[in-house]
Amino acid sequence: MRITVDGVQLAARPGDTLASALLRAGRRVLSQGIYTGRPRGLVSAGVEESNVFVQVLSGSGEPMVRATEIEAYDGLRVRTLAGKGLLPDEPDEARYDKTFAHTDVLVVGGGPAGLMAALAAGESGARVLLIDDQPRLGGRLLASRAIVDGLAVHDWVSSMRDRLQALPEVTVTSRTAVVGYYDHNYLVAVERRTDHLGSAAPATMARHRLWNIRAGQVVLATGAHERSIAFADNDRPGIMLAHSATAYAWRYGCRPGRRAVVFGAHDGALAAAVELADAGVEVAAVLDVRDVVGADFAAALARRGISVQTGATVSGTLADDDGVLRAVLTSAGETVAADLLAVSGGWNPAVELFSQSGGRTFWSEAAAGFVPDTAAQPTHCAGVLTGAVSLARVLSEGAGAGAEAARAAGLDVTEPATPSVEGELREEAAPAAYFCVDSAAEETVFVDLQRDATLHDIRRAVGAGLTSVEHIKRYTTIGTAADQGRGSGVLAVGVLAQLSGRSMAEIGTTTYRPPYTPISFALLAGRDRGRLADPERVTAIHDWHVEHGAVFEDVGQWKRPWFFPRPAESMDEAVRRECAAARTGVAMMDASTLGTIELQGADVGLLLDRLYTNVFSSLKIGSVRYGVMCGPDGMVIDDGTTARLAEDRWLMSTTTGNAAKILEWLEEWLQTEWPDLDVRCTSVTDQWSTVVLVGPRSRDTLEELAPELDCSVEGFPFMTVRQAAVAGIPARIMRVSFSGELAYEITVASWYALAVWEAVFAAGEITPYGTETMHVLRAEKGYPIVGQDTDGTVTPQDLGMGWIVSKKKPDFVGKRSFARADTSRSDRRQLVGVVPVDGRSRVAEGAQLVSHGAVLTQPPVAMHGHVTSSYHSVALGTPFALALLDAGASRHGEVLDAVDDGHATAVQVVSPVPYDPDGVRRDG
Amino acid sequence: MLRIPCPWCGPRDETEFCYGGQAHVPYPADPSTVDDADWAGYLFFRDNPKGWFAERWMHRAGCQRWFNVVRHTVTYEISASYPPGTSRPDVA
C-alpha cells in the first residue's frame, strides 16, 4: 500500500496505522510545539496521542485526527499539522446516519475484560452490545505474548469472537467509540464505517453512524492510559510511552528505536523493557525511581543481561541537529546514547465515561491511579479500569462484571470459567506515585505537550495563590487541548501535589465531560441538513403564489407570501399598490396559516370565560368575538377571534406562530386544573383554508360569488358568521377585519382552497397581497401583533385595550395580577404611535426612544421605550411606527429621538390608531 | 437523557416530553382573596430542593397528556410517575 504524507509517498502494510507506517519509514519529527516551536514526534500508539495530528486530504477528509487512530489504506493522503487543523472550504458530501439501540447489557471495551463480560452476559441469554473502538477486538492483548487457555492471544481473541457471534442476542461493533455517558444509562457512540476503506468505500454507505444507546446495565471495561513522567527536555522525538513502544514492536512490527533507555515507576515499565529487548531493541539502561522493584521482572531482565538501576531518574536529554533524541542524562550523572526513551509512570484507569455517568473516583495508593469508586447508575467496572494489573485478574473481573450485569438485568447466569494464563510476569512490588523529576530548567519540563505547558507554568499558578486543580487547569490551559487531558491531567495533579505538599486524594481530578473523543457536527446533524433541517409548511394555495411571483417570508415553519411584486417593482412599490387596493378597491390574502382550534362540549363557554379577559359564554350562535388571552401574571400571550358555530361547537383562531402553544395552553388548564369541564380541543389548522377578501368593494365581489348569501350590512353584520356556497363550494364566511376595512374571511375545506382562491381572483380586478401589506393595514389601525408589539411584559391595558378586560367576571386567568402594584403603575410602557417629524424618515424596528436632543456620546442615556413595528403608511402618506413607551398614553404630542445604530431621528408621539379611529370604514 | 415513565405510554426518552415545573401548585380557588405576597408566591416562587422533587411533565410527542414525576435533583433518579389530580405517592 502507498500512502502520501506532506506530498511524499511512503509504504504501509495492512494493519498499519498512519503512525506505525511513519515510524517504520523512520519519520521522527512530525509536529512542533504550538507555542515553543520545538520538534515533536509520536508519544503513543493510540488515543493518548497528544503530539501528532494530521489533516486527512483523501476520501471525505477530516481537519484534525490523531495519526495513531488512522488506519492506513492504499491512497491515503494526509498533511501533518503543527497544533491546529484547518476546516476545508468544500461542503461535506458524505452521508451521516443515526441509529438507536436498546440492550440489556452494554459492554464498553473489547479487551480481555470486555470480552469475558460480553461472554458471561451473552451466555445468560441477555441482549448484549459489545462496543470497541479498535478495528480488531483484543485491546491490550493485541500487543501481548501471553498464552490464554493454551492459545496465543490472537487465536484466543478469535475464538472469543466466534463464541460471541454464535450467541443470537449478542452484537459486536468495532471501530465504534463511546463518547458520552449520560443520565439513565443513555450512551452515545460514534461508529466509523468507511474511513479505513479509502476509494473502496461503498458510495451508499454512511461514513459515520451515531449510536444512541439505552442500556439496562453497563459494563465499563475501558482499560487504562499510560502515564508519563515529566523531566527536563522530555518532549523530544524519540521519547515515548513505554507500552506504546512495545505496541509498535509487537502489534505493528516496526521497531520504535535501536537503542533504548527505559524509565519507570512501576513493574509495568520493567515488563516493557523485557518486551523491547525481545523485539530486538538494545536496552542500554533501565531506570526505576523505586528502591524496590518486582523480583520476577528484575530476574527476567537479568536473564537478558540487563540490570535495573533503582532509585534512579532521568535528569535530562540531548538531541541531534534535527531535535531528535540522541542521549539520556541520568541522575547518576551518566550520559547514555539512545534513540528511544521509553517512559512509564504508571496507569491512569480510563475513568472518563465512569465520571461522566456521575460516578466518583478515588486515588488508589495500591494502583497509583484514580479508580472508580461508587457508581451513580447501573454501571459495573472491570479489568484494568479498576486498577487490576495481572491478565488473570482482568479476565476474572470481566467475567464477574458481565455475570453481575446480566443478573441485575433479571437473567439466570452461570459464570464462565476464567481462562488460564501462562507466560505473564507477576507484579510484585508496589508502584510509586511519581510524576516529575525536579529540574532547574523547569521551562523544558513539559506537563501538557499539546498546550506546551510546563512545570514552570504550574509553579507560577501555585505562586499566584491558586490551589484548586480546576483553577490551575484554566490558568495554565493544561488539559484543555484536543486530547482533553488524557496525557496531562493526572500528571498535572501529581505535579501540583509535589509542589504543594498535598495528597492526590485531596486535590482530586478535574471534571470529565463528554465527548470522550471529538465528534463532528456533520454526524450530529445526520441527514437533518439543508431543507430537511426543519419542516416547511405551505398552504394549499402555495403553488399559485409561486406562479404569481410571490416573495415569501418565513413565519414559524410556514412559507407565507410577503408581497406580490409586478415586474420591475420594488418591495415598497408593491406594498404601496397592495395597500391602496385594500383601502380603495378590493384585495385578497391567503390566511390559511392562522392557527385554528375547534372546541366542542357543553362547557366551552365557561372555559373561554376563564381564559379570555372578556366574556364569551354569552356569545350567540352565528356570532364572532375578539378576545385577548393573558397568563396568570396578566401579560398578553395571544389574541384572536372565536366563532360560535353551534350550541356546543366553537372555532378559535390564534396567531400563526402560536397555534401549537395555545392548544397546549388550553389542554394544560383542562387536564391539570379543570378536568371536570366538558371540552374537547382539536387543531384544525390544516383542515381549513381561508381566503381574506378586503376593501370597500369586497361586498360586490362576495355577492357575485355567493348569490344566495344576503351580504347587506343588516343581513350580514360585522362579527357574524354565515354558511353559504362560494363559487359553488360550501364555505364558512366570517365578517371580521384585521385592516379596518370591510372584509370577509372565506373558509373552505383545504381540498377546495385553490379552486375558491382562483374563483375569487377571477371575479374582478382583485389584488393579491402578502404579509407586509397585512402588517401595514393593521398597524394603521393600531392592532398589535402578539410577539411583535408585545414581549411577555405587556398587559391589555398597556396596549390601550382596557375595554376588553371584563370588570364583571369574578375571575379569569390574569385578573388578579392587574391589581398588583407593578401592573397598576401609570408609568408602564404603553403602546403609542410615532411618526417622523420630517415626514419622511422611516425608523428602524427595535430603535430606542430617548429624550429629544439627548447626547448619545455621554452615557448613560435614559431609554424611554422602543419601536416595535415600523412601516410606510399609504393611508397617512408618511412613515408610521408602533412603539412601547414609558407612560406613553399620556405623552401624545411629545417629540423624542428614535435611535438606531447611533443615528437619531426626531419623532412625534401620536395615537396608536391614526387611521379611521372611529371605525366607520368597516361596513364598506 | 432522562428516561421518563409516562403513566399512559410507558418509559420514553426525555426528548418526547416538555417540562412543566414544580407539581402541586394549584391555581388558587379564589384569587381575589389572595394577598399580594401570596399571589406573587403563586406566580413567581418555586421550590428548588436538593433531593426529591415533584414536578410536572407533558408527553408532547406522544399522548400529549400532563402528569407528575418524583425525581431526585442530584441523582436524577425517578421514583414515581402519577396522573395530575392525584396526590404525591409516599415513595422516596
Side-chain angles (χ1 to χ4, degrees):
Chain A
M1 300 195 300
R2 311 294 299 176
I3 62 174
T4 309
V5 180
D6 294 334
V8 178
Q9 281 215 339
L10 301 176
R13 297 178 190 168
D16 259 338
T17 61
L18 172 64
S20 64
L22 285 163
L23 197 62
R24 190 179 302 104
R27 295 281 298 269
R28 309 297 291 271
V29 180
L30 294 164
S31 176
Q32 58 185 33
I34 187 167
Y35 302 121
T36 59
R38 289 165 67 105
R40 298 276 162 82
L42 289 163
V43 289
S44 80
V47 73
E48 307 94 326
E49 182 57 35
S50 50
N51 272 352
V52 184
F53 287 78
V54 299
Q55 179 169 13
V56 179
L57 305 170
S58 51
S60 299
E62 195 68 40
M64 189 173 174
V65 199
R66 291 176 185 81
T68 52
E69 293 200 299
I70 299 172
E71 291 179 58
Y73 58 81
D74 196 39
L76 172 68
R77 280 189 304 121
V78 303
R79 195 170 71 82
T80 56
L81 297 171
K84 275 186 268 183
L86 283 175
L87 280 175
D89 294 330
E90 303 81 39
D92 185 346
E93 302 291 354
R95 179 183 291 184
Y96 298 88
D97 260 339
K98 295 176 186 174
T99 188
F100 295 81
H102 298 83
T103 184
D104 293 325
V105 178
L106 168 69
V107 180
V108 184
L115 288 170
M116 287 306 293
L119 186 71
E123 285 186 335
S124 76
R127 185 185 292 178
V128 176
L129 179 59
L130 170 64
I131 290 192
D132 187 56
D133 64 346
Q134 292 294 304
R136 298 178 61 185
L137 295 174
R140 68 173 180 142
L141 288 181
L142 293 175
S144 159
R145 289 186 291 152
I147 303 293
V148 183
D149 263 352
L151 299 171
V153 285
H154 286 262
D155 296 330
W156 183 77
V157 170
S158 298
S159 76
M160 287 295 286
R161 194 186 53 220
D162 294 345
R163 288 173 75 180
L164 289 171
Q165 279 174 350
L167 295 168
E169 291 293 326
V170 175
T171 306
V172 179
T173 307
S174 292
R175 293 192 177 89
T176 305
V178 176
V179 298
Y181 191 153
Y182 304 90
D183 298 310
H184 295 187
N185 265 2
Y186 175 78
L187 296 94
V188 169
V190 176
E191 181 185 5
R192 302 176 308 280
R193 307 184 77 201
T194 65
D195 284 349
H196 61 291
L197 296 175
S199 57
T204 52
M205 189 186 262
R207 181 187 175 208
H208 294 167
R209 192 153 66 166
L210 188 72
W211 285 69
N212 297 274
I213 304 160
R214 187 72 77 171
Q217 305 287 319
V218 171
V219 175
L220 291 179
T222 49
H225 302 126
E226 198 166 20
R227 183 169 68 228
S228 190
I229 299 172
F231 49 82
D233 290 318
N234 61 336
D235 64 329
R236 301 197 193 283
I239 302 174
M240 191 181 281
L241 293 167
H243 285 83
S244 291
T246 64
Y248 281 120
W250 286 101
R251 177 172 171 185
Y252 298 104
C254 56
R255 200 161 50 174
R258 292 178 184 283
R259 195 163 196 271
V261 171
V262 177
F263 175 37
H266 65 133
D267 288 348
L270 307 180
V274 172
E275 296 293 317
L276 288 174
D278 289 359
V281 177
E282 182 192 344
V283 178
V286 177
L287 314 176
D288 196 310
V289 301
R290 298 172 299 169
D291 294 324
V292 179
V293 302
D296 267 9
F297 298 86
L301 285 167
R303 283 198 298 278
R304 289 160 176 84
I306 303 164
S307 63
V308 180
Q309 299 179 39
T310 55
T313 61
V314 170
S315 56
T317 63
L318 301 176
D320 65 15
D321 292 345
D322 295 329
V324 176
L325 178 76
R326 72 173 169 83
V328 177
L329 310 176
T330 73
S331 53
E334 289 177 292
T335 300
V336 185
D339 62 353
L340 173 65
L341 173 49
V343 183
S344 186
W347 294 107
N348 288 331
V351 295
E352 288 89 345
L353 292 176
F354 179 81
S355 295
Q356 285 178 23
S357 79
R360 294 183 177 281
T361 62
F362 73 99
W363 177 259
S364 160
E365 292 291 345
F370 286 101
V371 298
D373 191 0
T374 354
Q377 301 197 32
T379 314
H380 313 263
C381 297
V384 176
L385 168 64
T386 68
V389 175
S390 82
L391 182 52
R393 166 92 188 280
V394 166
L395 291 164
S396 93
E397 273 198 11
E404 187 182 281
R407 244 178 245 121
L411 292 135
D412 289 329
V413 184
T414 316
E415 201 172 310
T418 304
S420 65
V421 177
E422 298 158 52
E424 199 192 25
L425 296 170
R426 286 182 47 211
E427 205 94 4
E428 284 197 340
Y434 189 88
F435 305 97
C436 183
V437 187
D438 208 1
S439 165
E442 60 184 27
E443 286 182 41
T444 74
V445 180
F446 289 90
V447 176
D448 188 330
L449 291 165
Q450 218 178 339
R451 287 288 186 219
D452 262 346
T454 64
L455 171 61
H456 179 72
D457 295 319
I458 298 183
R459 197 186 294 280
R460 265 190 1 160
V462 172
L466 303 183
T467 52
S468 156
V469 67
E470 296 282 5
H471 293 159
I472 287 178
K473 170 181 174 172
R474 282 149 184 82
Y475 189 87
T476 61
T477 73
I478 287 173
T480 61
D483 73 347
Q484 293 171 297
R486 260 187 291 283
S488 57
V490 177
L491 196 55
V493 176
V495 172
L496 182 57
Q498 253 170 269
L499 290 180
S500 63
R502 288 183 294 157
S503 70
M504 296 296 283
E506 196 184 334
I507 296 170
T509 64
T510 55
T511 307
Y512 297 98
R513 295 188 181 85
Y516 173 61
T517 51
I519 180 168
S520 70
F521 286 116
L523 176 60
L524 290 173
R527 299 197 188 191
D528 306 335
R529 295 161 64 166
R531 290 198 67 197
L532 298 181
D534 198 37
E536 264 178 21
R537 300 177 76 182
V538 296
T539 72
I541 311 166
H542 184 76
D543 290 348
W544 190 96
H545 302 322
V546 173
E547 282 163 24
H548 289 76
V551 175
F552 289 88
E553 168 181 46
D554 288 338
V555 182
Q557 292 175 330
W558 288 101
K559 295 279 173 202
R560 296 196 70 179
W562 193 12
F563 54 98
F564 288 86
R566 288 181 175 162
E569 202 176 43
S570 71
M571 176 174 172
D572 279 356
E573 289 163 350
V575 170
R576 256 170 239 193
R577 174 177 52 74
E578 292 172 12
C579 285
R583 292 274 184 234
T584 60
V586 54
M588 63 195 287
M589 184 184 68
D590 180 359
S592 307
T593 61
L594 272 186
T596 314
I597 299 167
E598 181 157 337
L599 301 146
Q600 290 195 25
D603 296 324
V604 176
L606 191 54
L607 174 72
L608 299 183
D609 279 353
R610 290 178 183 179
L611 291 180
Y612 278 120
T613 62
N614 50 342
V615 178
F616 270 82
S617 51
S618 62
L619 189 65
K620 291 188 179 62
I621 295 168
S623 285
V624 183
R625 191 162 288 168
Y626 171 78
V628 170
M629 243 184 240
C630 295
D633 59 358
M635 303 304 152
V636 173
I637 58 169
D638 200 56
D639 70 339
T641 58
T642 296
R644 189 171 198 174
L645 305 178
E647 180 63 29
D648 59 352
R649 201 167 151 236
W650 307 61
L651 207 59
M652 174 189 287
S653 69
T654 74
T655 316
T656 293
N658 240 357
K661 196 179 121 187
I662 294 304
L663 179 60
E664 279 184 6
W665 181 247
L666 302 176
E667 281 290 343
E668 182 178 343
W669 287 96
L670 285 169
Q671 289 181 33
T672 65
E673 291 289 346
W674 307 318
D676 53 310
L677 293 190
D678 174 24
V679 180
R680 291 286 176 274
C681 315
T682 311
S683 165
V684 292
T685 302
D686 294 285
Q687 280 69 23
W688 300 113
S689 292
T690 299
V691 179
V692 179
L693 199 56
V694 180
R697 291 201 291 108
S698 57
R699 181 176 288 117
D700 304 343
T701 307
L702 186 63
E703 276 173 342
E704 195 177 317
L705 289 163
E708 294 161 20
L709 182 66
D710 176 2
C711 294
S712 64
V713 177
E714 304 75 29
F716 192 175
F718 188 56
M719 298 304 268
T720 60
V721 56
R722 297 286 181 266
Q723 300 281 340
V726 174
I729 295 162
R732 183 172 54 239
I733 306 128
M734 278 190 213
R735 238 203 88 190
V736 294
S737 178
F738 196 42
S739 57
E741 300 298 328
L742 175 66
Y744 301 92
E745 291 188 357
I746 304 165
T747 298
V748 297
S750 287
W751 305 110
Y752 304 114
L754 183 58
V756 167
W757 176 270
E758 286 181 328
V760 173
F761 185 67
E765 279 188 24
I766 304 184
T767 304
Y769 68 94
T771 50
E772 188 66 17
T773 292
M774 174 189 83
H775 278 284
V776 175
L777 298 176
R778 67 90 196 174
E780 287 169 348
K781 284 290 292 178
Y783 295 148
I785 296 230
V786 173
Q788 173 157 344
D789 303 298
T790 73
D791 58 7
T793 68
V794 180
T795 65
Q797 295 86 343
D798 297 338
L799 293 172
M801 293 168 74
W803 52 269
I804 205 166
V805 178
S806 167
K807 304 278 187 295
K808 285 181 283 182
K809 288 197 287 182
D811 189 38
F812 54 85
V813 173
K815 180 181 171 80
R816 171 67 183 80
S817 288
F818 297 141
R820 294 183 64 234
D822 183 65
T823 324
S824 318
R825 280 190 294 118
S826 59
D827 61 346
R828 288 179 59 83
R829 286 212 168 163
Q830 293 155 346
L831 189 73
V832 295
V834 294
V835 291
V837 170
D838 67 9
R840 289 190 318 274
S841 306
R842 191 193 303 183
V843 297
E845 290 178 354
Q848 293 288 332
L849 297 175
V850 302
S851 299
H852 183 48
V855 182
L856 301 177
T857 52
Q858 287 178 10
V861 179
M863 306 294 181
H864 296 240
H866 64 276
V867 173
T868 58
S869 299
S870 178
Y871 310 96
H872 182 86
S873 165
V874 178
L876 306 178
T878 66
F880 171 75
L882 293 174
L884 288 169
L885 177 65
D886 293 342
S890 58
R891 294 171 74 174
H892 294 183
E894 198 174 320
V895 172
L896 296 167
D897 282 351
V899 180
D900 172 51
D901 201 15
H903 179 75
T905 306
V907 294
Q908 185 169 36
V909 179
V910 298
S911 154
V913 193
Y915 180 75
D916 184 27
D918 301 324
V920 298
R921 299 186 59 86
R922 71 177 191 211
D923 286 334
Chain B
M1 177 163 50
L2 303 181
R3 191 163 173 262
I4 298 171
C6 169
W8 291 281
C9 306
R12 302 295 180 90
D13 280 349
E14 180 183 345
T15 47
E16 292 187 18
F17 300 85
C18 66
Y19 188 63
Q22 183 177 352
H24 308 295
V25 184
Y27 186 73
D30 183 0
S32 65
T33 62
V34 178
D35 68 27
D36 274 359
D38 286 349
W39 184 250
Y42 166 73
L43 288 179
F44 304 122
F45 291 86
R46 295 295 180 266
D47 295 340
N48 185 21
K50 182 178 183 180
W52 294 104
F53 186 51
E55 61 194 16
R56 306 190 314 153
W57 289 84
M58 195 268 278
H59 196 186
R60 177 182 267 156
C63 62
Q64 307 202 336
R65 288 208 257 181
W66 285 92
F67 60 98
N68 299 327
V69 156
V70 178
R71 183 178 62 95
H72 197 281
T73 57
V74 177
T75 66
Y76 290 2
E77 190 186 340
I78 290 174
S79 63
S81 151
Y82 53 101
T86 56
S87 55
R88 177 173 169 165
D90 191 17
V91 290

